[in-house]
Structures are given as structure tokens and as C-alpha cells.
Amino acid sequence: MTRLDGRVVATTRDGSPDDTLVAELRAAGARVLVWPTLSFEPPDDPTPLARALTAPDGWDWVLLTSARSVAALSEHGSLPVGGARIAAVGGATAAAAGARGWHVDLVGDGGGASGLIDAMLRETTVAGARILFPAATGASSELEDGLGAEGARVTRVDAYRTVLSPPDPARVRADLADGVDVVAFASPSAVAALDDALDHDLARALAPCRVAAIGPTTARALADRGIDAVVASDTSFDALVAACADRPPTS
């Protein structure tokens, strides 16, 4: 028997046919429901990203904070010139980069932006380093602020836009009525989108379910809405699957 045999797990990502999380949950024995909450669009102005990727002096580091940022860069054909090293926020992002044939030099410890900052400060000297940060429009400034305070020269460019696309609330409520064991969240944006779909009544709607979060930032978004989540041990999909199989937190 696999660790999620017989359990119904709802995911809240973009619902793409090749979703790695869905595949891993099914491999663990779960019956998976997909509630797409997000879609991704190019930035309003793609010029800064295109210029950054062809900067004549290159970069010392490129920071990757999601599989979507990997996809956004790959759509431009290649990594920046100049022998830049790659730092990934966690295992899922590192795996996405590896699938493109990119060598990841440093992986954060699963603590989101703060974990990646800590890992970089442990492993390398960032003072004076030229760092490219391709980010989602409107993403937190924690990375550039934290590394900038250590003397790094961080250039942030919009690589993509995350668009909230709340799922059909009737379908979500019908699934919940039929029985959902676990709802898995992989981003704060997904939390916001599902909360919107359920008329900002997310805590009551998910009360019968275990809730799993991929990392502390997502867990905080859930806590802000009164929901305690089992938090994955790192920001990989394998760890999120394990969190789905874990016991719910006790008060």
C-alpha cells in the first residue's frame, strides 16, 4: 500500500496536463482532483527580461524562485551569457531547471526567500555579485532587499504575471460534499484564488479537510485566513506529497 492509497487530494495549481504534483500524488496512490486557481501570462513589458538575458557582461548568479520562472527563461531560448551560476529556492524549482539541462549550483533549504538568502550567505560571498532575479510581477522584494543589504547588486526583472483564476465554486463545493481528504497548496496566490472562489469563507469550507502547504509563505497565507496547515519539510513536490500523508497538526 502506498502512502496516500484511497485518499482524495485536491490540488490548487494551474491544472496543466503535465503537472508534476498531480503525477506524484497519483504515484503515491491518491485520487486527485484538480481545482485550477492560477494562470500565467507574459509580463506587460517583456523588453527588460530580454535585455537582461543578453546583457553583454553577463551575471554572476541567476535566482530561480519557481518552476514558472524556469519556464519563462526557457521561452527565451537560453540562460544569460557569462557563465552565471544558478540558485534555486527549493527542490521543485531545482528539478524544473534540471529538466531543462541547466546545472543548479545552489539550492535553498526550503524556507522560501529567507532560506535561499541564508543558503547563499553560507556558501558564497555575495558582496559585489551581479545577480539577476527574474520574478513574478508583484512578488515580494525580500530576496533583493536581503541580498542587497549584504552588498549584492541585484537586478530584478518581471518574467511573468500570475493571474488569479478562481475555480468554479459549485464544482469545488460539490467535491467537498462528496469528500476530500486533503487540499494541497503550492503558493499564496492559490490560497487567495480559492478563497475568492468560496466567497472568502475558506476556513469553514476546508474545515473537514487536512490542508498541506509547500512552504512557510503559503502556510502564512492560510494562517491569515484562520487555517492551520501541515507544512512540507522543504519546497519540493515530494515533500508536499509527504505533508499530504502526514497527520494534521494538533492544537
Side-chain angles (χ1 to χ4, degrees), residues 46-241:
T47 306
L49 177 61
R51 287 177 178 166
L53 294 177
T54 56
D57 296 329
W59 305 93
D60 297 307
W61 286 93
V62 178
L63 306 184
L64 300 177
T65 56
S66 69
R68 185 60 212 170
S69 63
V70 173
L73 292 189
S74 69
E75 287 166 6
H76 285 265
S78 65
L79 281 176
V81 297
R85 289 174 287 177
I86 297 176
V89 72
T93 302
R100 305 277 180 177
W102 302 347
H103 175 72
V104 177
D105 299 273
L106 186 149
V107 181
D109 61 8
S114 61
L116 182 54
I117 292 169
D118 290 344
M120 292 193 73
L121 295 181
R122 284 195 307 268
E123 299 295 330
T124 188
T125 300
V126 301
R130 299 163 302 168
I131 298 177
L132 176 63
F133 175 29
T137 301
S140 165
S141 63
E142 184 177 358
L143 264 176
E144 63 259 43
D145 291 346
L147 294 173
E150 300 293 331
R153 293 183 288 163
V154 182
T155 298
R156 171 177 169 157
V157 293
D158 288 349
Y160 63 95
R161 292 182 297 119
T162 301
V163 181
L164 298 188
S165 303
D168 177 5
R171 182 198 161 191
V172 172
R173 293 188 187 280
D175 286 342
L176 289 167
D178 288 340
V180 175
D181 296 299
V182 189
V183 181
F185 291 92
S187 71
S189 298
V191 176
L194 189 59
D195 193 30
D196 286 350
L198 297 177
D199 296 323
H200 305 287
D201 195 24
L202 191 62
R204 182 160 54 179
L206 300 189
C209 311
R210 177 177 305 153
V211 177
I214 200 168
T217 306
T218 302
R220 283 194 295 272
L222 289 160
D224 289 344
R225 292 164 173 83
I227 300 169
D228 289 326
V230 179
V231 185
S233 59
D234 61 60
T235 55
S236 68
F237 289 144
D238 186 63
L240 183 55
V241 171

